[in-house]
Amino acid sequence: MIMERSRIIKIILFVLSVALIIIGFWFYKFIFSYIVVSFIIAYLLLPIINYAENYQIPRTLSILVVYLIIGILLVLISNLLIPKLVQQAVDLAEIIQKLLRQEETISLDSLGLSKLSLFFQNLESRIPGLEMEKQIKNFIDSDKINDLFNQIPLFFKSVVNIMAFLVVIPVIVFFILKDERKFTRMIFSSIRNRYFEFFLHLFERIEDNFGKFFRALLLETFLVAMMSIIGLLILGIPNAIILGIIVGLANPIKYFGPFIGAIPTMLVILLGPTPDVYVFYIAIMFLIVQQIDGLILFPWLVGKSMKMHPLWVLLTVIAGGYAFGILGMLFAVPVVFLVKTVVEVSHKSLKEFEII
Amino acid sequence: MKKEKEHNNLTEEKELVKFLSSVTLFEKLTKNERKNLFKYIYVRKFKTGETIFKKNYPNVVLYILKQGELKVYLEKEDKEIELNRLKPTEFFGEIGLFLDDNRTASVKAVTDSVLLAISKKDIADFIARFPRAGVKVLYKFGELLSRNLINLNKTLTV
C-alpha cells in the first residue's frame, strides 16, 4: 500500500515536472536563443572569473574588467573588421539571391558549371543515392536559407534585434557569471534530503561527461574556423572571414560537415571573379585542414570525451538532417550524446542510491 | 520584506562562517578563507530518525554536524549495530575524499539535526583554487588520520 502510494506520487511528480518543463519552454521560446547564447558565452568566460576570484578579486569587478576588455576588442575589431564583414555578408547574400532569382529549377548546368555537374553525375553513377545536385538545391532552397539567416545572430536583419541582442545577452551573461554558485546552491538546497546526494552526484557526473565534450567541441570549432580563415586568406579568396566561420560552424557535423561547410566557398569562387581553378586549391586546403582536424584535433580534444560508436554518430547525423535540416545535423550529435549521458548516469545513480 | 530576507541571509552567513572555525578541519583557516569555503556549503536539515545515508551509497559529500546528534550504525539481520555517536562540529564521510569507495556505514539522525554538506568535487575545487587554504585543510586531515591510527594502535596493544 505504502509502496503504491509513493509510486503514484512519483508518477504525478514526473508528469508535473515534464509539464512544467514544456510550459517553461513554450513561455520562454522567444528568448530561448538569447539564453542559449548567453550560457555558451558564460560557460567560456567562467574559468576566467573563477581564476580571478582566487586572487580575492570580486566577481563583479572581474566581470566588468572582462567586459571592458571585450568591449575595447570589439570596438577595435569593428573599426577594422565589421565593414569588411558586412560587405562580405552582403556579397554572399547577393550571390545566393542571384541563384534564387532564377525561376526555373536550379541545376548546376544553368549556372554554367557543366564540368562540375558532369563530375557530380559521374559521382552519382558510381554512388547511387548520393543525389548531390538535389542536396545542393535543397541547401539553396530559399526557406531554409531564410531560416538559417534568422537563426544566426550575425545575420540579424533589423537594427532592433541587434540592439536587443547586444543589450540583453551581456546582462544575462553578467548574472550567470556573478551568481553562478548562488544559482546552483539555490537549486540543490531545494531538493529533499533523500534525493539531495543523488541529484548532486548526477549533476556532477553529467557536467563531467558532457561539459568536457562540449568545451572540446567548441574549441575544435574555433580552431578549424581559424585554420580555414588563414587558408582562405593565404589563397586570397574574397569573403575569407565569413566563409571560414561557416566552415568552422559546419565542422561539428560529423562526416558531412566539411562538405556542407565548403559549399558556400565553392559557390563564391565559381560565381565570383575568382578563377574557377581555385576550387581545386581550396579543395586541397580544406583537405589539409580536415586532416589536421581528423588526425590531431578531434582525437585529442573531442574523441576522448565522446563515448559514442562511430556508426551511431553517422546514423544520428543523418536522422538529424532528415528531421531538422542542417541545424538538425549540427545539433543532433551533441543533443543525443547529452541524452545518452543523462540516461546512463541517472540509471546508474538511481540504482546506487537504491531509489529504484 | 526583501531587505529583511537579505539581512537574515547575511546573519546566517556570518554565523556559519564563525561556526566553521570551531570545526577542527577548518580551524586554521582565516576568516576570508572560511568565507570562500562557505560558498560551497549546503545547509541540510534532518528530522529525528531520518537517514542521512546508508552503507554502499556513493560517496558524494562530506558532512559536518552543526546541531543535533547522529548515530553511525551497521545493519545486520534487521538489527542496527551502533558504531559511534556524532556530536556537533564532528564531521564524517571524509574517506570518500581520498578513496573512491562507497559509504562504509549508515548514518541516522537521533535528534533533529542541522548538517553542513560539502561536495567532494567542490572540496577538490576549493583546494585547487585556494591552495594556501587547501594545504591547511589537507594537513589537518593528515593529522586527524594519524591520530586515529595511533589511538587504534594503542587499543590493539593494550
Side-chain angles (χ1 to χ4, degrees):
Chain A
M1 192 63 200
I2 292 167
M3 264 297 286
E4 266 194 1
R5 219 173 119 198
S6 73
R7 209 183 210 168
I8 290 168
I9 290 171
K10 251 182 229 170
I11 291 168
I12 291 171
L13 275 178
F14 180 72
V15 171
L16 276 178
S17 47
V18 168
L20 197 68
I21 288 168
I22 290 169
I23 292 169
F25 267 100
W26 176 80
F27 183 71
Y28 287 109
K29 69 183 170 197
F30 299 109
I31 51 162
F32 197 64
S33 62
Y34 287 22
I35 292 175
V36 169
V37 172
S38 305
F39 263 100
I40 293 170
I41 294 172
Y43 203 71
L44 294 173
L45 292 180
L46 203 57
I48 302 171
I49 310 300
N50 281 342
Y51 186 78
E53 204 182 22
N54 298 358
Y55 297 97
Q56 318 294 335
I57 300 165
R59 290 182 89 85
T60 315
L61 181 69
S62 55
I63 295 168
L64 290 177
V65 169
V66 167
Y67 271 24
L68 196 70
I69 293 168
I70 291 176
I72 291 169
L73 281 177
L74 278 182
V75 169
L76 283 179
I77 288 169
S78 65
N79 279 341
L80 303 168
L81 215 70
I82 291 288
K84 238 180 177 176
L85 205 66
V86 169
Q87 190 52 46
Q88 291 185 5
V90 170
D91 280 357
L92 197 64
E94 255 170 27
I95 287 168
I96 291 164
Q97 289 291 320
K98 208 159 61 180
L99 281 174
L100 295 176
R101 236 174 276 137
Q102 296 184 323
E103 285 291 314
E104 52 157 337
T105 48
I106 308 156
S107 77
L108 291 166
D109 279 326
S110 69
L111 299 173
L113 307 169
S114 50
K115 271 181 202 158
L116 196 65
S117 174
L118 214 66
F119 169 71
F120 281 141
Q121 274 165 19
N122 217 333
L123 204 67
E124 264 160 44
S125 67
R126 266 179 233 173
I127 311 164
L130 197 63
E131 293 182 322
M132 278 301 263
E133 264 188 86
K134 227 186 202 170
Q135 292 294 324
I136 291 176
K137 259 181 272 169
N138 272 346
F139 180 73
I140 304 169
D141 187 79
S142 60
D143 279 348
K144 272 189 191 150
I145 292 282
N146 277 338
D147 270 2
L148 205 67
F149 274 51
N150 285 337
Q151 283 166 45
I152 300 173
L154 263 177
F155 291 93
F156 265 153
K157 281 172 194 152
S158 69
V159 182
V160 179
N161 269 344
I162 294 174
M163 286 313 288
F165 202 76
L166 285 177
V167 174
V168 175
I169 299 252
V171 172
I172 301 175
V173 171
F174 179 84
F175 280 111
I176 297 173
L177 286 175
K178 182 171 167 288
D179 295 332
E180 177 240 352
R181 283 219 69 83
K182 230 185 243 174
F183 282 140
T184 44
R185 262 175 37 149
M186 204 172 70
I187 291 163
F188 284 114
S189 295
S190 64
I191 297 171
R192 283 204 328 224
N193 285 336
R194 176 73 178 96
Y195 302 108
F196 168 68
E197 282 193 51
F198 164 72
F199 274 111
L200 202 63
H201 195 45
L202 198 67
F203 176 75
E204 285 176 356
R205 273 203 191 156
I206 291 169
E207 221 279 322
D208 206 40
N209 283 323
F210 186 73
K212 232 184 253 165
F213 161 74
F214 187 65
R215 254 182 271 235
L217 199 66
L218 284 177
L219 188 60
E220 192 205 2
T221 303
F222 176 72
L223 291 175
V224 169
M226 285 314 284
M227 285 194 295
S228 305
I229 290 172
I230 291 168
L232 290 166
L233 283 174
I234 290 171
L235 288 170
I237 307 299
N239 309 321
I241 294 163
I242 193 121
L243 291 172
I245 290 172
I246 291 173
V247 173
L249 285 177
N251 191 64
I253 304 173
K254 277 300 130 207
Y255 309 113
F256 303 99
F259 298 102
I260 296 169
I263 289 171
T265 312
M266 297 305 184
L267 286 176
V268 163
I269 293 168
L270 291 171
L271 301 169
T274 323
D276 285 0
V277 69
Y278 270 76
V279 168
F280 181 64
Y281 299 146
I282 289 292
I284 290 176
M285 192 273 288
F286 280 157
L287 200 71
I288 294 169
V289 171
Q290 282 312 313
Q291 291 315 305
I292 295 172
D293 179 42
L295 295 174
I296 302 167
L297 292 183
F298 184 79
W300 176 50
L301 292 168
V302 186
K304 267 190 301 185
S305 48
M306 192 170 76
K307 286 158 203 126
M308 245 171 111
H309 194 276
L311 181 63
W312 191 11
V313 173
L314 179 67
L315 295 177
T316 307
V317 172
I318 296 170
Y322 271 114
F324 304 107
I326 288 184
L327 286 175
M329 292 174 103
L330 183 60
F331 288 112
V333 173
V335 170
V336 168
F337 182 67
L338 177 64
V339 172
K340 175 183 176 271
T341 311
V342 171
V343 170
E344 268 178 9
V345 168
S346 26
H347 178 74
K348 196 162 175 247
S349 297
L350 280 167
K351 280 215 154 143
E352 282 175 335
F353 282 99
E354 294 172 359
I355 294 169
I356 54 168
Chain B
M1 185 66 195
K2 208 187 158 202
K3 264 236 160 104
E4 198 174 297
K5 206 179 162 196
E6 242 163 47
H7 180 73
N8 280 343
N9 279 346
L10 260 177
T11 46
E12 198 195 344
E13 181 183 335
K14 264 190 190 157
E15 203 231 315
L16 271 178
V17 169
K18 204 173 167 200
F19 169 77
L20 282 177
S21 65
S22 62
V23 179
T24 36
L25 210 48
F26 306 124
E27 65 186 12
K28 289 267 165 66
L29 297 187
T30 65
K31 197 176 169 194
N32 239 331
E33 288 166 341
R34 273 181 275 127
K35 260 188 190 162
N36 283 324
L37 184 67
F38 165 80
K39 289 177 191 155
Y40 292 87
I41 286 175
Y42 300 97
V43 181
R44 311 293 310 173
K45 295 188 174 93
F46 286 85
K47 293 231 161 63
T48 307
E50 209 177 339
T51 310
I52 285 108
F53 55 74
K54 285 197 172 153
K55 202 186 159 191
N56 291 332
Y57 279 14
N59 222 323
V60 188
V61 295
L62 166 88
Y63 283 109
I64 301 152
L65 182 59
K66 182 162 179 281
Q67 254 172 57
E69 195 177 355
L70 305 177
K71 180 168 93 168
V72 185
Y73 65 99
L74 286 173
E75 271 173 82
K76 213 172 190 182
E77 292 151 12
D78 291 340
K79 267 194 214 158
E80 289 179 2
I81 305 168
E82 191 176 317
L83 299 177
N84 198 4
R85 289 254 167 172
L86 294 172
K87 294 261 171 337
T89 76
E90 284 189 286
F91 59 92
F92 56 103
E94 75 279 11
I95 292 170
L97 286 178
F98 305 105
L99 301 172
D100 257 339
D101 294 3
N102 288 347
R103 301 285 190 195
T104 48
S106 308
V107 179
K108 199 188 240 182
V110 180
T111 61
D112 285 3
S113 308
V114 179
L115 276 78
L116 308 181
I118 312 176
S119 142
K120 195 173 137 178
K121 211 183 155 197
D122 283 345
I123 293 186
D125 189 41
F126 176 79
I127 292 169
R129 288 181 53 194
F130 307 99
R132 224 173 256 277
V135 167
K136 290 184 208 166
V137 174
L138 287 178
Y139 253 101
K140 208 71 207 177
F141 260 125
E143 189 190 317
L144 292 170
L145 292 177
S146 315
R147 223 172 273 285
N148 279 351
L149 193 65
I150 290 171
N151 286 341
L152 206 65
N153 281 346
K154 264 184 201 158
T155 49
L156 282 178
T157 45
V158 166

